[in-house]
Amino acid sequence: MFSFSGQTDFCGRRCVWVNGPVIVGAGPSGLAVSACLKEQCIPFVVIERADCIASLWQKRTYDRLKLHLPKKFCQLPKLPFPEDYPEYPTKKQFITYLENYAQKFDIKPQFNECVQSAKYDEACQLWRVVTVSTSGSETEYICQMLVVATGENAEGVVPEIDGLQEFSGEVIHAKDFKSGQKYTGKKVLVVGCGNSGMELSLDLSNHNAKPSMVVRSSVHVLPREIMGKSTFDLAMILMKWLPLWLADKILLMLTWFILGNIQKCGIKRPSLGPLELKNHHGKTPVLDIGALEKIRSGEIKVVPGIKRFNSNSVELVNGETLDIDSVVLATGYCSNVPFWLQETEFFAKNGFPKTPFPNGWKGKRGLYASGFTRRGLAGASADAVRISQDIGKVWNEELKQKKKKVHTHRRCISTF
């Protein structure tokens, strides 16, 4: 990175010229791109709003979290997981892996800098990325290429539910939930039945709380493993050789034998199969790690949608009223790209690339997106490889042009 240290513009902000791409986000996606660029000796700057890498994993995940997929599907480019790691690494192990990854490739993000805006300047054909630090100082990074690596889960989604502000108990989003230990003996309403909702309900039950889980819509619940093999691994094999509809039928048949009829638990399956639903709508199936057993035993209660909250209770759409002490909103996450990136051609209003996978990694004018595939860490790794290769081509072509100009200049001097 080359910078004009000490130079400021008319707004009083520091201006930094980046001789390479600016990468926004130091999560797994940003780290993966950085490592791939590092191997090509291409300079870059990583901007991160938190004070650490992978802040989502370090600060906004619950204690019992493990990777939902086998480690071979979750490792980043250029560095496999240690052999002694279990098949499903814990949160702590994954964070250690990421820290070692950053250290191995000497990735040193600019921490505590939140991007306020990023805009392509047509006049000078460069990106202008303005950040504000925790101390309040502003910096403008000027670059030819911008990699958006803030991810699909940058912000927690808090839905508007009638009466929620009137509820007198604690209300938190899943990103702020750490353990069910503090809820022992309490009646907790978990709003949401995705992987987070299921796991939080399980954790609450394991700590002798009394969780009720809101299941408003249909959802696919699959076993994490089938006949000793990862369900995800099996799905990849089936999709390689069979049409999607047939792979779905086989998965659902095997699931029926293992989990039984989950509709009896109050959970309705979608009409589309789990793989088709994931591929076309990005909705991830739930991988069961014990919650269904708790639901069948009554330790986790499944309830329908919410009508409204009262001061110490909730009314459900079926007319039932539940007395509750706390609420945990397992209502998902969203991209924050529309709040800072001033661009509408490549990114849609929902903060995802308009072009579907696998071609949603590259926009125009040096804009790239890493980690927006709805395919987890494997998708982020694939993006990183493509992005770094593309940047490498541009970088090498520019080097050739510079060498050509220098050579021509020397010839002119020699002739003179």
Side-chain angles (χ1 to χ4, degrees):
M1 179 185 78
F2 296 101
S3 66
F4 300 117
S5 57
Q7 284 207 356
T8 58
D9 63 11
F10 63 89
C11 294
R13 62 169 72 105
R14 186 171 66 106
C15 291
V16 178
W17 164 255
V18 180
N19 190 25
V22 164
I23 301 169
V24 183
S29 298
L31 295 177
V33 175
S34 301
C36 292
L37 292 174
K38 199 81 174 186
E39 284 225 321
Q40 300 179 73
C41 298
I42 298 174
F44 57 86
V45 169
V46 183
I47 299 171
E48 169 57 45
R49 64 179 177 178
D51 60 358
C52 61
I53 63 166
S55 61
L56 174 65
W57 283 87
Q58 298 213 50
K59 299 185 176 185
R60 294 186 289 164
T61 49
Y62 41 94
D63 295 341
R64 65 162 289 121
L65 179 64
K66 293 183 179 181
L67 294 181
H68 290 120
L69 304 181
K71 60 184 179 181
K72 69 177 181 179
F73 296 110
C74 301
Q75 62 193 26
L76 301 184
K78 318 294 182 183
L79 184 67
F81 280 102
E83 290 185 6
D84 61 344
Y85 269 35
E87 187 72 349
Y88 302 94
T90 64
K91 165 185 170 178
K92 185 177 180 181
Q93 288 172 325
F94 185 58
I95 291 170
T96 300
Y97 166 76
L98 293 178
E99 288 174 338
N100 291 338
Y101 191 87
Q103 185 176 4
K104 175 180 173 62
F105 295 102
D106 194 29
I107 303 168
K108 298 175 180 177
Q110 300 294 312
F111 290 120
N112 297 311
E113 287 196 39
C114 184
V115 175
Q116 298 297 295
S117 68
K119 184 179 181 180
Y120 187 75
D121 189 326
E122 295 284 354
C124 58
Q125 297 185 331
L126 294 168
W127 286 95
R128 295 181 175 274
V129 183
V130 178
T131 70
V132 176
S133 71
T134 49
S135 64
S137 61
E138 287 191 6
T139 302
E140 182 176 43
Y141 295 90
I142 303 170
C143 55
Q144 290 180 304
M145 292 167 282
L146 176 64
V147 181
V148 179
T150 47
E152 304 166 354
N153 303 317
E155 307 293 342
V157 174
V158 178
E160 291 185 11
I161 306 175
D162 192 19
L164 184 57
Q165 293 183 340
E166 299 172 19
F167 180 66
S168 59
E170 180 190 58
V171 179
I172 64 167
H173 190 272
K175 65 183 176 65
D176 299 313
F177 182 96
K178 296 302 178 186
S179 168
Q181 186 172 6
K182 64 179 265 189
Y183 297 96
T184 298
K186 292 186 177 181
K187 300 172 184 176
V188 184
L189 184 72
V190 178
V191 183
C193 59
N195 278 297
S196 293
M198 286 278 193
E199 282 205 44
L200 298 188
S201 297
L202 176 61
D203 194 54
L204 287 163
S205 178
N206 287 341
H207 284 93
N208 298 314
K210 300 173 183 177
S212 295
M213 183 175 64
V214 176
V215 181
R216 190 180 61 174
S217 56
S218 56
V219 61
H220 279 296
V221 181
L222 307 177
R224 186 168 69 173
E225 294 183 344
I226 295 177
M227 295 178 291
K229 192 174 189 65
S230 157
T231 300
F232 183 80
D233 205 356
L234 178 61
M236 294 300 101
I237 295 171
L238 292 174
M239 285 196 295
K240 186 177 180 180
W241 300 104
L242 301 173
L244 205 59
W245 67 268
L246 184 54
D248 268 334
K249 282 191 177 294
I250 293 172
L251 273 182
L252 289 175
M253 181 181 67
L254 293 171
T255 296
W256 180 280
F257 283 122
I258 296 169
L259 300 182
N261 184 5
I262 66 169
Q263 196 156 337
K264 292 181 179 179
C265 302
I267 302 172
K268 184 181 178 182
R269 287 198 183 278
S271 55
L272 291 178
L275 300 179
E276 191 175 0
L277 196 63
K278 176 65 176 173
N279 274 13
H280 296 306
H281 301 282
K283 191 172 182 180
T284 304
V286 173
L287 296 177
D288 179 56
I289 57 170
L292 272 182
E293 184 182 342
K294 295 278 190 176
I295 291 170
R296 287 195 171 100
S297 70
E299 294 172 74
I300 299 174
K301 183 178 180 180
V302 171
V303 299
I306 297 167
K307 182 179 179 181
R308 67 164 286 113
F309 281 93
N310 299 308
S311 61
N312 56 6
S313 64
V314 60
E315 295 177 37
L316 306 174
V317 292
N318 64 355
E320 185 181 358
T321 298
L322 295 178
D323 291 330
I324 52 174
D325 301 305
S326 302
V327 176
V328 180
L329 299 170
T331 44
Y333 298 83
C334 67
S335 163
N336 67 3
V337 174
F339 294 102
W340 58 269
L341 182 62
Q342 297 176 40
E343 192 276 346
T344 57
E345 185 178 348
F346 181 50
F347 277 92
K349 290 182 179 179
N350 65 354
F352 282 76
K354 293 179 181 179
T355 307
F357 177 85
N359 301 312
W361 57 274
K362 183 181 180 180
K364 295 179 180 178
R365 300 187 287 269
L367 180 62
Y368 299 90
S370 179
F372 294 87
T373 64
R374 301 184 193 272
R375 283 164 173 77
L377 293 164
S381 295
D383 278 347
V385 172
R386 294 188 187 101
I387 290 168
S388 62
Q389 288 175 345
D390 196 72
I391 291 176
K393 290 177 184 177
V394 176
W395 184 261
N396 291 327
E397 186 59 35
E398 287 186 356
L399 284 180
K400 286 180 183 178
Q401 293 298 324
K402 288 178 182 178
K403 287 179 181 179
K404 188 176 179 180
K405 287 180 181 179
V406 170
H407 181 67
T408 303
H409 182 63
R410 284 176 177 170
R411 284 183 62 188
C412 291
I413 293 174
S414 177
T415 303
F416 180 77

